[in-house]
Amino acid sequence: MSMFPELPVANPTNVTAEHRRLQEANDGTASWKNWGPYLSDRQWGTVREDYSPDGNAWDYFPFDHANKRAYRWGEDGIAGVSDAGQRLCMSLALWNGKDPILKERLYGVPNEGGNHGEDVKELYYHLDATPTHSYLKYLYKYPQAEFPYRWLATESKRRSRTEPEFELLDTGLFNENKYFDVYVEYAKASPTDLLMRINVINRGPDTAELNVIPQVWYRNTWSWTEDALRPAISADGQKIRLLHFDWDEYVCHFDGTPNLLFTDNDTNQPKLYRVNKAGYFKDGINEAVVQGNAAAVNPERTGTKAAGHYQFTLPPGGFASVRVRLRHTTEDNLDSPFADFDDVMSDRAREADEFFAVVQDGMADDDAKLIHRQAIAGLIWTKQYFEYDVWQWLHGDSGSPPPPRERMRNTCETNRGRNVDWEHLKNADIVSMPDKWEYPWYASWDLAFHTIPLATVDAAFAKEQLLMFLRESYMHPNGQLPAYEWNFGDANPPVHAWASWRVFQIDREQRGDKGDIPFLERIFHKLTINFTWWVNRKDANGRNVFQGGFLGLDNIGVFDRSRPLPMGGYIIQADATGWMAMYSLNLMRIALELALHDNVYEDMAIKFFEHFLGIARAMTDMAGKGIGLWDEQDLFYYDELTLPDGTIQPLRVRSMVGLIPLFAVEVLEPELLARVPKFASRMRWILENRPDLSTLVSRWFEGGRGERRLLSLLRGHRMKKLLRRVLDEGEFLSDFGIRSLSKAHKGRPFTFEVSGEVLKVDYQPAESTIPAFGGNSNWRGPIWFPMNYLIVESLHKFHHYYGEDFKVECPTGSGNFMSILDVAKEISSRLTRIFLKDQDGRRPVNGWYETHQSDPHFRDHVPFYEYFHGDTGMGLGASHQTGWTALVAKLLLPSESVFTDLCGSAARAVIRCQA
């Protein structure tokens, strides 16, 4: 009898209304995802909108232009939604009677304007969301005093890198609660019937005025091509009609009798460029409301942008509500849009509760549930429509002046223009973004991590995202995956195969069957092309040791690893080589899974198994010189610097780089090996005939608990030595997870002299104090969720093999010995501690801000930052990078089920294949 009983089929009574909508969306019977939170938080200052000769995207399209200049490639707004092709958009605008402009997009400082890089200077929260966007909830906090645009800009630029960022709360504008809470909710009555409700509360002690201006508009697709057709928006009584020439017709209803305003989503050329041109422009509604200029809006009540203007005077604690309904003209009851409005909104909110009750089954702690739900909400809210046709962008549009020729060869990195080698890239998709303000563009390795928590609520979308990056319109013909729009040719860590395998496992566990084999097969073939690119491009001498550049770790090294070294030579990177060992094992494991259904894949499994062995050997003995990346003196993995004269020396920086070899681990179940005889035979042959290879890898040839086989770069002894440093609170182990750089460097920085200049790496637990590598991310001490998650997952795998008898001291020097599983749980607990309330009701993520810690209108709205202070857990960097930080949602699940899909499902799947 197997120790892995068959999983029961999902209980039909646990299927909620949202689960049914999700099924309809994924099987194509109803387009529930056609409308979603797809507007960017920032379209200005992006590479896509940059047509400058020097590639300075921030200067070419600054914030000051955003309200009066049409975007070429997308739209932005506050709490905004659009259709999946971003033809039609809807979002919120506000005016407190004091600001110089409408508050219709989020403000922040550009990269050079902040003392730690670009930074959004607003207070907003993603409170709730369902996977089909049937219910969405967002909170924006709007000061009643004039918004301090100039003060935020000048003070942010004045501050040094040793000072914290200047945030909106630091201005004092929220003292005495002199602000409005503006809640925006969306609910769907059908896939083409969208309800928007805006609830406003005056939190202050005084009566205050507020203008609430919900807006609808068409993305400008007509200004770039000669003789292009325009869609049309026109008034029909107290509703407006929206007609697109090659799409659908909608009607927008505004509750009550607001003043309806109409203009066009066109650039205000007279104001920006002093061109004598008549018309109604993008900032027309702003001019009408803020400046009282009625001539700025179209008296004929037509255009391509429209709004309903509501005015409220709210006493202290006063409340106001605005209702808007956007519906396809084929919907029923178009003449009574608000009869069932409140019922639909209430039903969708209740159904969201029912959905999360199933997702969070077994979670007992209410605070953990709150954090989990807001993490998932943030992940869903940061979906974005991303359009970028590189060829069109480089060569220009027929209806616009040709771009300057300099941009084809001018960037700060090379003499070739930005992305000129990526003319094949043509994106127009919904993409999971890291942070829709600070990073409103995808990053390939970020997205891979996003798919893990996404898969727990919408595995189909997670799979779509992974497949999308391997399509011909994304992947380079040479096999490289695009990194990000600032330089698609950079190399991100190769984690796509890992994410694909993990999403397959999570999905299989939910389905209770053999898993989505067509998905796995389809993605495997494309991944092998990408693997070949890595081998051909990043292994300089063909010796199975790899370079790769900064690989997402920005300033972690003493040199900029993406540039030529100042003294010549090159770096053999422990992280790049560790990633490639992991990549080999990921592809081997996928091939073995496919071999259960088609034995042809056994050959591919053998290929990647042997490639893994080659990497393992090279890490121990590079080029036959007896030099490896493991340092026996320090018991740690280091990068190796190879100088022009052939001299090799370790770069003794104890950083996350040296922990990445931990990630290359795979456990093979006996049930699996019995089904792949050719692979098992080859493994035995190597055991018997190539002891030089077999001894390099941790005990994979020995029977472990349950007769499992372990493939790993780390033998048990070496793993214990590495974990001794990882679990040392004076080095990597923080109260809030694993630091990216050892705290030992706090008093003993690593130094390296080049041409009389001393370069150093020291422990910096907060923001970076140096401008190197952009200066807006710091890997010299803070805690980063994706790497911590991989450490936790790898430890689960090691425990699955070694069992309870394999103990390590945790923390180092404490005298307390734990199994590896308990160590993984301890690290997970420390990571979730960043967000959970402590015994005093305080959340470490909120740092020193007392308002965030104790104010009842703030303390339970949780931000998900990019990274976290290595000693205090305070959130740092991008403040809404729920993308990969949403991995906390996976860790917050009940401990017995967090990694069940990782280690527990493999043998069950083999049994299902046999059935």
Side-chain angles (χ1 to χ4, degrees), residues 12 38 82 85 135 143 162 309 518 595 674 829:
Y38 302 145
S82 78
Y135 182 72
T162 60
H309 181 199
S829 174

Side-chain angles (χ1 to χ4, degrees), residues 528-547:
T528 60
I529 299 172
N530 177 247
F531 183 89
T532 302
W533 176 84
W534 273 94
V535 171
N536 290 339
R537 296 294 183 95
K538 298 300 180 181
D539 180 3
N541 297 310
R543 294 172 177 169
N544 288 318
V545 284
F546 293 82
Q547 300 83 55

